[in-house]
Amino acid sequence: MKPVKVGICGLGTVGGGTFNVLKRNAAEIARRAGRDIEVAQIALRSQNPQCDITGTPITSDVFELVDNPEIDIVIELIGGYTLARELVLRAIDNGKHVVTANKALIAVHGNEIFARAREKGVIVAFEAAVAGGIPVIKAIREGLAANHINWLAGIINGTGNFILSEMREKGRAFADVLAEAQALGYAEADPTFDVEGIDAAHKLTILASIAFGIPLQFDKAYTEGITKLTTADVGYAEALGYRIKHLGVARRTAAGIELRVHPTLIPADRLIANVNGVMNAVMVNGDAAGSTLYYGAGAGMEPTASSVIADLVDVVRALTTDPTNRVPHLAFQPDLLSDHPILPIAACESAYYLRIQAKDRPGVLAQVASILSQRGINIESIMQKEVEEHDGLVPMILVTHRVVEARIDEALAALEALDDVVGKVMRIRVEQLN
Ligand code: HSE
């Protein structure tokens, strides 16, 4: 049988990894796919010194590649929203299947892209868009197809996890660790996407869609980054038996779906609390399977290439199938997606870690307790530290039971209005994940 011809758009970290693994494991991959896979063209802006592309036709124009009649499958690895959207839609219009690692593209333009792909009877595959080398899309979309999925929670940004791990383990400064993540090729082109949670929210949006059968709704995800975390909070969390992780949480409740990315205290003895460095992990809770955990490299050249090529093999195997019998892009049949609403963060429910900087006077703790109890907020534990030399203030750390966020917002406003409380109260959500 003739080889399947693919075109790779972008020869950066993931594109380079994809080219190299396709070449190195060509025979093994062909044994799985049932056909040889040939890279017929690469669109690149500059050479990748880690790849020997001698003999492979190249172009600097991605549209020349997507219009190339020889190419059956386009692999989009240029990233970003605008050009990537244009080239993916054009590839689809040209009747080509698409494999992409672009989480921003899928989270923001996925509904449009999948609708167009259905019209044209082509596949758009995106395993590499979430959690690098972990086949979590396939696990949720296919492996857990029997389940009513209740919730999922994941460490889905390697750069952020690397920063938090290094801060906790070595007391390293934020900026220094971020620079290292950039040098290692983990960070996004705009690193605020990593540290402000935007990249994780892109991935969470995708995971929630395939878990709950809802359209992609990135604009409704609540996103909070890790830049305001202090080493003091990391230490207090530790003393209370928790680790702070930057978590994406999607939970189905009767009122709607929680879709939120924020720093989170997790009990230190949970497996996921011990996922460190650039590693990612996603926990999925389904009614039949219970909790399952997927762990692995969340970024990097070859781990991400592994997912790109797995998609490629899937597409090659499906080339001759009837488009209506393929696994739906978002796991559920497109005309059966649910309109269960995404909840605003004020309606989400969680436990909370609160750090109050208070003056060292009698009665402050009583006032704090009164404000919380008036709003039905139950305190689970409390820790008061000695007066800090530099400002003469007393850090008061509380962990609450679960409560709707709006209640905590009201309590924080009341606490911050107290004469004896100085500055903003630090609030970090707490999840038990059990
Ligand atoms: N910047 C991303 C991360 C790359 O750090 O996880 C993988 O999506």
Side-chain angles (χ1 to χ4, degrees), residues 56-244:
T56 307
I58 60 170
T59 172
S60 57
D61 177 5
V62 283
F63 291 102
E64 186 191 317
L65 185 151
V66 297
D67 289 341
N68 180 344
E70 274 206 6
I71 287 174
D72 306 300
I73 304 169
V74 170
I75 305 179
E76 183 278 306
L77 301 172
I78 62 168
Y81 301 97
T82 314
L83 180 60
R85 171 180 167 272
E86 243 181 278
L87 90 85
V88 164
L89 289 174
R90 186 139 137 197
I92 293 169
D93 286 342
N94 288 339
K96 298 183 195 306
H97 301 278
V98 175
V99 173
T100 178
N102 191 333
K103 53 260 162 149
L105 177 74
I106 296 299
V108 175
H109 298 299
N111 297 322
E112 176 194 21
I113 288 170
F114 298 142
R116 186 80 68 88
R118 278 196 305 280
E119 275 171 32
K120 298 286 175 184
V122 297
I123 302 168
V124 176
F126 53 94
E127 179 66 67
V130 181
I134 312 173
V136 68
I137 300 282
K138 199 167 189 84
I140 299 175
R141 194 164 58 180
E142 299 173 47
L144 294 176
N147 288 259
H148 176 95
I149 293 176
N150 299 313
W151 56 264
L152 60 88
I155 294 169
I156 41 181
N157 181 268
T159 302
N161 200 42
F162 182 53
I163 292 171
L164 289 183
S165 305
E166 293 286 301
M167 278 173 76
R168 187 182 77 81
E169 287 166 15
K170 301 183 191 151
R172 287 179 64 191
F174 191 99
D176 170 38
V177 191
L178 175 59
E180 189 181 340
Q182 287 174 302
L184 292 168
Y186 299 136
E188 294 301 299
D190 176 353
T192 60
F193 273 43
D194 296 300
V195 297
E196 295 299 352
I198 300 160
D199 176 75
H202 286 145
K203 296 165 180 167
L204 184 70
T205 298
I206 297 171
L207 291 175
S209 279
I210 60 166
F212 306 132
I214 54 172
L216 295 149
Q217 296 164 79
F218 170 69
D219 53 333
K220 300 202 180 117
Y222 171 79
T223 306
E224 187 181 309
I226 55 173
T227 48
K228 294 195 182 73
L229 286 177
T230 65
T231 41
D233 292 309
V234 172
Y236 297 145
E238 199 93 358
L240 289 162
Y242 291 94
R243 293 270 163 81
I244 302 181

Side-chain angles (χ1 to χ4, degrees), residues 11-30:
L11 200 69
T13 304
V14 183
T18 300
F19 181 84
N20 288 349
V21 176
L22 270 175
K23 200 163 145 187
R24 185 173 78 230
N25 294 346
E28 199 75 341
I29 292 166

